[in-house]
Amino acid sequence: MVGMKDDDAPLLEPPSYYVVEADEDEDEEGRRRSRPLKLRGYLVIFGSMVFLLSMAALIIYQQSHDYDDEAAKIENNDHNYKKVFPRGVAEGVSAKSNSFLSETTPSYNWTNAMLSWQRTAFHFQPERNWMNGPLFHKGWYHLFYQYNPYSAVWGNITWGHAVSRDLIHWLYLPEAIVRDMWFDINGAWSGSATLLPDGEIVLLYTGSTDQEVQVQNLAYPADASDPLLLNWVKYAKNPVIVPPPGIGPQDFRDPTTAWFGPDNKWRVTLGSMVNRAGLSLVYKTTDFINYELNDHYLHEVPGTGMWECVDFYPVSMNGSVGLDTSANGPGVKHVLKASLDDTKVDYYAIGSYFVENDTWIPDDPDLDVGIGLRLDYGKYYASKTFFDQNKQRRVLWGWINESDTEAADERKGWASLQTIPRTVLYDKKTGTNLLQWPVEEIESLRLKSDEFKHVLVKPGTVVPLHIGTATQLDIFAEFEIELLESEGILNNKENGSVVGCGVGAAERSAFGPFGILAIANDQLSELTPIYFRLSNYGNNGTSTTSTTTSFCVDETRSSKAPDVSKLVFGSKVPVLTDEKLSMRLLVDHSIIESFAQGGRTVISSRVYPTEAIYGAARLFLFNNATDINIKASLKIWQLNSAFIRPFPFHLAQ
């Protein structure tokens, strides 16, 4: 068996890094020599499941199948901290819903500079306060989003509204839907917009009534010829759909974009639950005023709890373009996605839609909704797609909450954001996955670039990438593996090593972890590893058919502050025999979006460093495996900030 040699010093001993004397002389190829590191401290492992109210949730890492919930927290003995107690539901807002922060968690002494750094530069977020159904209309992309106009915590939910020409630069508009009628007085919650063939637009949304019953309401533009869709009219006889018999009054929400059937009727599905079985109901309509409930559920999965923010759409099996929501027929699969209210995780499955009875069946029952694949394995929830008829693509939005405290959010004056919009395609190579990739428009923000080819990273070392400030980046990286021993196929399990993400980048094994350290400072006292870990590997330099590859993000050392959630996220990622290991990272201050193998596995992370901010943020390669060298090739772009600001009405007049 090949493992760590007796004289090998481990690279990481959790939980905090410190730098040993580093030799940074250039080698014969002009590269900086790697810097050996050592870690010391103690690691406390714990797992948890969180039950939350509505959409004010922190997204909790929960590995599927053999990936268990794993998280780590760092002890901190700074006695200058003060105690903080989160608000409760009784005060009219949702608690921060972060089970990893107890009521006695010490509060870090955040400075204004630290908090200001956390605001992103090219991700959409409200101008202030707390953050449905997007569409493209007359040259503008419209984003509707859940918004609290009064506070940076959950509550008073209305529909915010913003427009963009390119999905990157955004202009805030007045709120589209406010809670001002008996049928939505307790909240104008999620819903969807449908663009009709005649150019008209209908909007269905969930309202919480004066009796806190969830109902579905209809709204439409006052003037559909207005490119900005500034004014919306609520149907006078709302609600148009009320909970049917057998459905709980608070288990009935989030209607989807409608699709058109061969019987000349529109269909809408929405989320619900019966006896702990998550499900989606189907309603048919010809006028969006009168509805008939289908005899069958679109789909249900026992034990998954309440489904919300259901999404249902077709994908082309040739994997080339997006499809209109009403598309069906040969060469088409359908994706069913649900946001699980119990765990605040977005699951999806690919399957077949039967229009004759409006039911859907997954291709693989073991990968059904709620028990199989996730859209994103990090902090991510309440996602929604729309068909962009302008570029013939399906575009996915996802909501990213904060993972600090409500007190910090209130001090900042804002909370939560949207991911960079992602295109969604069917992965025709695996037949089981979706491929998510940042929209091409993000490349318009690229500034100068740096390129590194075949950088050698030896076991137990870290290599600095000298690119300057590293807070706004687009990174593409490929990794090649070189075995140090030639004993055929080496296996982590045989070596007594870890398979999967483990407890983070500190846990060594024969074939991982290795990857990138983002938002790190020079002392490596704060850093966020994004990494691969393999279960075994062949001696001919290619992955074997029995290799299991995991793609992971470790937040446990992302911040010295104790009052932020710091977890390990990750999952298996399929890697085919003709593919190199590859990742793409979008780094934007306090958010890192990570895409493995062309977007088969995606992880969104929130990080809140106290030192690795502004000009102190750096980027490194690392290899904490014991039995392999890594050769990494990267191209890294600095990204400009997007223009996200109020619409200049004074200039439009």
Side-chain angles (χ1 to χ4, degrees), residues 428-460:
K428 57 186 177 182
K429 288 186 177 181
T430 66
T432 57
N433 296 79
L434 293 177
L435 297 175
Q436 303 172 56
W437 202 245
V439 293
E440 61 184 1
E441 288 88 341
I442 190 66
E443 298 173 12
S444 67
L445 297 179
R446 287 175 174 173
L447 300 171
K448 77 177 187 72
S449 64
D450 293 281
E451 193 163 4
F452 302 85
K453 294 183 177 180
H454 308 299
V455 180
L456 178 64
V457 192
K458 296 180 179 179

Side-chain angles (χ1 to χ4, degrees), residues 407-588:
D409 294 345
E410 290 180 306
R411 185 174 170 188
K412 288 183 295 187
W414 55 268
S416 72
L417 50 88
Q418 297 281 340
T419 60
I420 291 299
R422 305 169 183 172
T423 57
V424 179
L425 291 173
Y426 176 79
D427 185 356
K428 57 186 177 182
K429 288 186 177 181
T430 66
T432 57
N433 296 79
L434 293 177
L435 297 175
Q436 303 172 56
W437 202 245
V439 293
E440 61 184 1
E441 288 88 341
I442 190 66
E443 298 173 12
S444 67
L445 297 179
R446 287 175 174 173
L447 300 171
K448 77 177 187 72
S449 64
D450 293 281
E451 193 163 4
F452 302 85
K453 294 183 177 180
H454 308 299
V455 180
L456 178 64
V457 192
K458 296 180 179 179
T461 64
V462 169
V463 176
L465 297 171
H466 298 287
I467 62 169
T469 302
T471 57
Q472 296 174 209
L473 302 174
D474 186 354
I475 305 168
F476 184 80
E478 290 185 337
F479 300 89
E480 299 177 72
I481 295 174
E482 176 185 276
L483 288 172
L484 298 182
E485 301 287 345
S486 56
E487 297 185 7
I489 296 175
L490 306 176
N491 190 290
N492 270 337
K493 291 182 179 178
E494 293 175 0
N495 294 335
S497 300
V498 66
V499 176
C501 294
V503 298
E507 189 168 10
R508 305 190 78 180
S509 59
F511 312 111
F514 58 87
I516 290 174
L517 303 179
I519 308 294
N521 59 358
D522 281 327
Q523 297 75 28
L524 296 178
S525 57
E526 291 183 330
L527 75 174
T528 301
I530 301 96
Y531 61 91
F532 290 106
R533 191 194 298 271
L534 281 60
S535 63
N536 52 56
Y537 206 73
N539 65 357
N540 60 353
T542 61
S543 297
T544 68
T545 56
S546 59
T547 295
T548 297
T549 302
S550 298
F551 182 60
C552 316
V553 176
D554 178 1
E555 297 176 346
T556 59
R557 296 161 191 83
S558 61
S559 175
K560 289 186 174 181
D563 56 346
V564 298
S565 177
K566 290 172 282 190
L567 307 179
V568 175
F569 298 99
S571 176
K572 302 174 186 175
V573 57
V575 181
L576 306 186
T577 55
D578 61 343
E579 295 177 344
K580 292 182 179 180
L581 291 169
S582 65
M583 67 172 72
R584 183 181 181 184
L585 311 182
L586 292 178
V587 179
D588 186 7

Side-chain angles (χ1 to χ4, degrees), residues 114-315:
M114 294 174 188
L115 296 175
S116 295
W117 179 89
Q118 294 173 12
R119 189 169 179 90
T120 59
F122 54 84
H123 283 75
F124 177 83
Q125 57 188 128
E127 188 175 13
R128 59 185 181 276
N129 300 339
W130 195 89
M131 293 268 294
N132 287 325
L135 62 91
F136 180 80
H137 176 68
K138 294 187 180 297
W140 291 95
Y141 292 99
H142 291 254
L143 175 63
F144 303 100
Y145 54 95
Q146 299 280 269
Y147 180 56
N148 181 352
Y150 305 116
S151 178
V153 296
W154 188 89
N156 309 301
I157 296 302
T158 64
W159 276 44
H161 187 191
V163 291
S164 173
R165 293 288 193 184
D166 61 3
L167 292 172
I168 301 299
H169 305 286
W170 290 92
L171 299 170
Y172 302 119
L173 294 176
E175 297 157 40
I177 303 292
V178 298
R179 51 184 200 99
D180 60 358
M181 303 295 289
W182 71 267
F183 49 77
D184 61 11
I185 194 64
N186 279 309
W189 292 354
S190 292
S192 300
T194 300
L195 181 63
L196 303 182
D198 61 2
E200 293 296 315
I201 298 169
V202 294
L203 189 155
L204 291 172
Y205 71 96
T206 297
S208 180
T209 72
D210 54 356
Q211 300 298 313
E212 297 186 338
V213 176
Q214 293 171 10
V215 298
Q216 313 314 314
N217 301 314
L218 171 66
Y220 47 87
D223 179 7
S225 66
D226 175 14
L228 298 180
L229 300 175
L230 286 174
N231 299 305
W232 292 80
V233 178
K234 297 178 183 179
Y235 178 56
K237 295 184 179 180
N238 275 333
V240 293
I241 312 176
V242 298
I247 297 297
Q250 295 183 343
D251 300 328
F252 184 68
R253 55 185 177 270
D254 308 336
T256 63
T257 297
W259 71 96
F260 198 66
D263 55 358
N264 295 321
K265 293 181 179 180
W266 291 92
R267 278 105 165 125
V268 172
T269 187
L270 50 83
S272 189
M273 171 182 66
V274 173
N275 296 325
R276 300 295 308 150
L279 57 91
S280 50
L281 302 163
V282 176
Y283 285 86
K284 298 178 185 178
T285 183
T286 57
D287 56 10
F288 290 91
I289 295 173
N290 301 289
Y291 295 81
E292 56 180 307
L293 177 62
N294 196 45
D295 292 336
H296 307 279
Y297 300 143
L298 178 67
H299 192 57
E300 68 173 320
V301 180
T304 55
M306 176 65 194
W307 287 7
E308 54 184 0
C309 300
V310 171
D311 204 5
F312 185 64
Y313 54 90
V315 288

